[in-house]
Amino acid sequence: MNFVKQSKMQTLDEQQLLDRLSAGETFAATLADGSLDIWVREYVPYLCTAIHAGHRLRPDLEEICAIDEQERLREEDPYTDTAIESFPIALVARDSRYEYDLNRSPEECLYEVAWGKQVWQQPLDEAQRQTSQERHSRYYRILEALITQIQQRFGGCLAIDVHSYNWQIRQYEEAPIFNLGTAQLNLRRWSKLLKVFEEGLGAIDLPNLDTTVARNQVYRGQGFQAKFIGDRFPVAPVIPLEIKKVFMDEKTGEVFPLAIESLRQGLHRAVLDTAAYFNQYLGHSKLRRPAALLSSTIDPLVLKVDRALYRLAKDVDTLQYVNPINLQQEKRTFLARKRYEPNFRYRQLRMDPYDFREQLYQLPVSQISDPSLRDLYRSVVDSFAIKVELLTHVGTPQFLYNSLRYYGEPSPTDIANAHFLLHAPEIPGYEEQPSEIDAEMAKVEFERAARDFGLNCQVAISTRLVANAMVDNNRRLLLINRNAKLTQTELNALVHHELGVHMVTTMNALEQPLKVFRLGLPGNTYTQEGLAILAEYLSGNLNLSRLKQLAMRVLTVNVMLRDMDFGSIFDYLKDEHKLSDDKAFSLATRVFRGGGFTKDYLYLRGLKDIVSLYHECDINSLLIGKTSSSFLHTIGELIERRILLSPKLRSQAISDCQPPPNPVLDYLVSSIQ
């Protein structure tokens, strides 16, 4: 998929295009005759070219061409335009190299014989030759104007010239995936720059392939474009890159989508790292980080996908469908009879899951040129497909299978951590507090805390909650369980957990230009709950009892997966862990709702990983919405590019950076493996 098909391109003649370059404007354009695409989304000190990506022939030339379309394609460089479409500045030739070869001099750019075959059925007439040579010259006038503008702004310009080559047809015994041609590169001056690029290319992970990088093994980089730039611009290194056609069948033209995707993502990172090094050489301190070398504007296609995804998925709320609607009735019956297996009932799913998935996969995510955003939206789409499958089977045996797909299950390490915490002795000096705070009293405290945190939200009491409290993201509403009985520490913990993190991320998501952060990234449950419990910990309201509660959830999920029924798990919690009837029923319900809900083991794992991350780096960017720690780097990059906004609201506990108040508790948390 090329850039022309995914973004609105202006149609400009040469003079209009040169005027825009001279004025330093940003634009995306196709030349009036369709021979060239150029985009300057943002001025940066590097550009990419794909001068052999084109396949078109003028109609008068196509009539007399002696080589058929399929055979021409073999010697062209298809998909090199796809490889560079994410970069802020690029030139892509749309005319075939058989018409005129941009990597040959003006005098030699027209073929009569190419790769041993006669190109034309009859000699080209003078008008045909002049038209092709003029297009060749026009490309170089535009290229010179572009580099001149970049040179004036930054004092230099790095050019990455991307090609591809046949290795099966040529029968190369040893052919690297990436070949760098250095014949026209000043190696004394640019050796470190070249090494950075080689290292970046070598780090690219291609499916079922060993990545290899070599210099001058199959091509030496002696093309005309590198010479043209080198003769005119002293601080404009050109690196010709030849990519082995492992991303397609070079004989039939069939593309391998996974290889293409891995290639363009990997090349994106390798070029950015090389450009960042080049900027260090130029001395531009503000442009040394790779993220600063990408566009700060959001492609309209991204906004289109984002809005469509939000409209489609905004009402897909797992807890809305998983929490039983007859909870209190079944609790009374179970506690009265004990051997009774609760018959929970659930809300009807308000969507057609098959239609939902069909619409989900029709979103044009693959056409997003920015690799970071494309990967993010692809992950979200896949996640929602599994989530809807989960909700489709609420109350059936298949629900557990899909819960395992979506949330996973406790690992041996998770179970060992849970046993470690459950065997921890009581901490001296911590007396158990009475559970004197009811729902009405808690409501008053939550409302006061919301005002203190600057949160414009509502607080209400509910009879349908399994947990003591929960944030309803869609309504910006904190719900409190009508039957909640809390200690002061538990209430304080919930304030920092529900308001300080869950409501904060809900409100911050509303400020973001991309609505996907209201929906939630894959793994957001694990990350958001980890952040919420970290807030309890750093605020001094995480006690040993709470840690043991998280550990108990891990073990309860684990025993549920051993096919124990509700009553047996209730007895296990009472007999083995001495829980009250209310707490044993609540915990058993948490893991049995829906048909087997494995989510609860993630709280302890999330705490462990977020605490580790908290000590390594600034994690406040995770508060911009319903994020995931696996996307921390991407989120940071998008904030730096000003595509996302830094979190307006912060978790008071996490931002204060106060050391945990109790060394014993600190030891226990830090000991979780």
Side-chain angles (χ1 to χ4, degrees):
M1 181 63 64
N2 61 53
F3 182 74
V4 176
K5 294 182 180 178
Q6 44 176 300
S7 295
K8 289 185 177 180
M9 304 282 281
Q10 303 175 62
T11 299
L12 303 175
D13 62 27
E14 180 187 358
Q15 191 56 53
Q16 289 172 320
L17 199 154
L18 292 175
D19 288 344
R20 280 163 171 72
L21 289 174
S22 178
E25 296 179 10
T26 57
F27 62 94
T30 298
L31 274 178
D33 61 8
S35 62
L36 174 70
D37 289 343
I38 176 174
W39 57 88
V40 183
R41 300 180 185 130
E42 194 152 322
Y43 281 95
V44 291
Y46 71 103
L47 62 85
C48 295
T49 63
I51 60 176
H52 289 157
H55 185 60
R56 302 183 343 148
L57 285 180
R58 301 197 309 272
D60 60 319
L61 297 184
E62 194 164 15
E63 289 180 3
I64 62 171
C65 187
I67 301 174
D68 65 34
E69 184 177 1
Q70 188 64 35
E71 193 170 355
R72 292 202 313 271
L73 187 66
R74 292 193 191 112
E75 297 300 342
E76 294 161 345
D77 296 351
Y79 302 104
T80 51
D81 55 341
T82 301
I84 66 171
E85 66 183 1
S86 65
F87 296 108
I89 304 178
L91 289 90
V92 175
R94 295 300 177 198
D95 286 341
S96 172
R97 67 191 303 185
Y98 281 91
E99 183 171 329
Y100 55 94
D101 193 331
L102 288 169
N103 220 17
R104 294 165 67 118
S105 69
E107 298 77 23
E108 299 177 332
C109 69
L110 304 183
Y111 290 107
E112 293 182 5
V113 176
W115 294 278
K117 295 185 179 182
Q118 193 74 29
V119 177
W120 310 109
Q121 297 173 13
Q122 63 189 51
L124 301 180
D125 62 34
E126 188 60 27
Q128 289 170 328
R129 296 178 66 86
Q130 285 184 1
T131 299
S132 294
Q133 287 175 324
E134 169 55 24
R135 289 190 176 192
H136 180 284
S137 299
R138 184 180 56 192
Y139 171 86
Y140 280 99
R141 290 194 293 271
I142 292 169
L143 177 65
E144 184 171 14
L146 175 59
I147 297 179
T148 297
Q149 177 63 244
I150 295 173
Q151 185 100 2
Q152 288 173 352
R153 286 170 176 260
F154 302 105
C157 176
L158 168 67
I160 306 294
D161 180 25
V162 180
H163 299 263
S164 62
Y165 74 93
N166 297 315
W167 59 286
Q168 292 173 317
I169 293 173
R170 297 282 180 272
Q171 297 183 337
Y172 291 128
E173 291 185 6
E174 294 184 9
I177 301 291
F178 301 106
N179 180 93
L180 300 177
T182 66
Q184 302 187 72
L185 191 66
N186 184 336
L187 293 179
R188 180 176 296 179
R189 186 176 192 180
W190 303 116
S191 61
K192 290 184 179 179
L193 179 75
L194 194 64
K195 186 175 181 181
V196 171
F197 194 34
E198 288 174 322
E199 289 174 352
L201 294 172
I204 296 175
D205 185 16
L206 297 169
N208 304 310
L209 292 166
D210 294 326
T211 302
T212 51
V213 184
R215 297 184 188 181
N216 308 316
Q217 188 163 319
V218 288
Y219 294 96
R220 293 179 50 79
Q222 295 174 306
F224 178 73
Q225 179 170 257
K227 183 178 187 306
F228 178 90
I229 295 173
D231 287 348
R232 287 160 178 78
F233 301 99
V235 191
V238 182
I239 305 179
L241 169 66
E242 291 277 354
I243 304 172
K244 187 178 182 181
K245 288 185 179 177
V246 293
F247 52 85
M248 63 181 291
D249 185 321
E250 63 188 54
K251 296 178 181 178
T252 67
E254 180 184 4
V255 67
F256 307 143
L258 292 181
I260 284 279
E261 180 62 22
S262 298
L263 176 64
R264 62 180 181 172
Q265 286 199 18
L267 186 63
H268 179 85
R269 178 52 54 189
V271 170
L272 279 185
D273 288 344
T274 308
Y277 179 84
F278 180 67
N279 282 293
Q280 288 183 338
Y281 175 88
L282 295 178
H284 299 299
S285 59
K286 292 183 179 180
L287 293 174
R288 289 182 181 179
R289 291 175 57 83
L293 298 168
L294 291 170
S295 175
S296 60
T297 58
I298 303 176
D299 191 308
L301 179 64
V302 173
L303 294 175
K304 177 182 176 182
V305 170
D306 182 73
R307 300 312 188 251
L309 177 62
Y310 181 74
R311 285 194 301 270
L312 184 61
K314 65 181 179 179
D315 294 323
V316 182
D317 184 348
T318 304
L319 294 183
Q320 177 185 1
Y321 293 107
V322 170
N323 283 336
I325 60 176
N326 61 337
L327 176 63
Q328 297 306 320
Q329 175 186 331
E330 290 303 290
K331 179 178 179 180
R332 287 192 297 269
T333 304
F334 177 84
L335 293 179
R337 295 166 57 181
K338 294 294 173 68
R339 290 298 90 195
Y340 171 76
E341 191 72 13
N343 181 23
F344 293 128
R345 296 199 310 274
Y346 305 94
R347 291 177 176 85
Q348 293 295 328
L349 191 61
R350 297 183 177 183
M351 69 179 73
D352 181 334
Y354 307 103
D355 181 60
F356 179 90
R357 284 193 293 270
E358 183 178 355
Q359 292 185 60
L360 199 61
Y361 283 114
Q362 285 179 347
L363 296 172
V365 175
S366 63
Q367 297 179 29
I368 296 173
S369 62
D370 188 301
S372 298
L373 289 169
R374 185 172 62 247
D375 181 58
L376 187 150
Y377 281 97
R378 276 184 168 165
S379 299
V380 172
V381 165
D382 287 340
S383 175
F384 269 102
I386 299 173
K387 180 183 279 193
V388 168
E389 186 72 15
L390 174 78
L391 298 181
T392 302
H393 294 103
V394 168
T396 73
Q398 290 92 337
F399 180 86
L400 176 58
Y401 166 73
N402 286 291
S403 180
L404 289 167
R405 287 178 67 201
Y406 191 79
Y407 296 108
E409 63 181 306
S411 67
T413 301
D414 293 323
I415 295 166
N417 285 332
H419 282 299
F420 165 73
L421 292 174
L422 287 171
H423 285 89
E426 293 300 319
I427 300 175
Y430 274 72
E431 297 180 1
E432 189 168 340
Q433 299 173 338
S435 301
E436 296 179 334
I437 302 173
D438 62 18
E440 293 291 348
M441 298 165 65
K443 182 174 182 293
V444 173
E445 292 298 317
F446 276 121
E447 289 172 337
R448 179 161 52 235
R451 290 193 296 272
D452 291 343
F453 289 173
L455 298 170
N456 181 21
C457 63
Q458 300 297 314
V459 181
I461 295 172
S462 172
T463 60
R464 292 183 173 181
L465 290 190
V466 174
N468 282 323
M470 184 189 82
V471 169
D472 183 329
N473 297 315
N474 290 334
R475 295 190 288 168
R476 285 178 263 176
L477 177 66
L478 176 69
L479 296 170
I480 305 168
N481 191 324
R482 166 65 69 184
N483 298 313
K485 290 289 185 181
L486 305 169
T487 68
Q488 187 62 52
T489 297
E490 287 172 337
L491 176 60
N492 294 342
L494 283 173
V495 164
H496 286 280
H497 183 115
E498 300 293 346
L499 291 178
V501 171
H502 292 327
M503 189 62 78
V504 159
T505 55
T506 294
M507 304 297 284
N508 281 336
L510 297 174
E511 301 292 324
Q512 295 301 327
L514 299 178
K515 296 176 183 290
V516 70
F517 293 97
R518 304 184 199 179
L519 297 174
L521 304 185
N524 77 89
T525 297
Y526 152 81
T527 297
Q528 296 299 301
E529 297 302 344
L531 287 168
I533 298 167
L534 175 67
E536 296 180 36
Y537 172 51
L538 295 176
S539 67
N541 293 295
L542 181 68
N543 55 27
L544 182 58
S545 175
R546 173 66 161 151
L547 278 177
K548 290 189 174 186
Q549 180 190 70
L550 301 181
M552 198 97 61
R553 291 180 182 179
V554 176
L555 298 186
T556 306
V557 170
N558 187 51
V559 295
M560 181 269 291
L561 292 172
R562 301 206 309 249
D563 294 327
M564 294 180 70
D565 60 34
F566 190 99
S568 298
I569 288 186
F570 178 85
D571 292 340
Y572 161 79
L573 294 172
K574 282 182 61 64
D575 298 340
E576 294 291 326
H577 300 289
K578 311 306 178 187
L579 266 61
S580 67
D581 282 359
D582 279 346
K583 290 185 177 180
F585 182 87
S586 176
L587 186 47
T589 300
R590 288 182 69 98
V591 302
F592 269 95
R593 55 186 165 165
F597 200 37
T598 61
K599 168 191 167 186
D600 270 11
Y601 84 92
L602 289 172
Y603 288 73
L604 186 59
R605 183 187 289 184
L607 172 64
K608 177 256 298 183
D609 288 346
I610 287 295
V611 166
S612 176
L613 202 59
Y614 171 77
H615 289 301
E616 293 172 6
C617 61
D618 183 358
I619 61 172
N620 277 294
S621 61
L622 292 174
L623 297 171
I624 66 164
K626 305 306 178 183
T627 60
S628 168
S629 58
S630 60
F631 288 90
L632 180 61
H633 174 80
T634 298
I635 293 166
E637 174 194 300
L638 295 174
I639 290 174
E640 188 172 350
R641 291 167 58 187
R642 302 187 300 281
I643 286 175
L644 297 178
L645 305 175
S646 295
K648 182 178 180 181
L649 298 167
R650 302 288 183 104
S651 163
Q652 196 175 80
I654 294 173
S655 297
D656 283 351
C657 299
Q658 295 296 322
N662 187 285
V664 177
L665 199 67
D666 187 33
Y667 166 76
L668 291 174
V669 170
S670 64
S671 297
I672 301 173
Q673 299 298 311

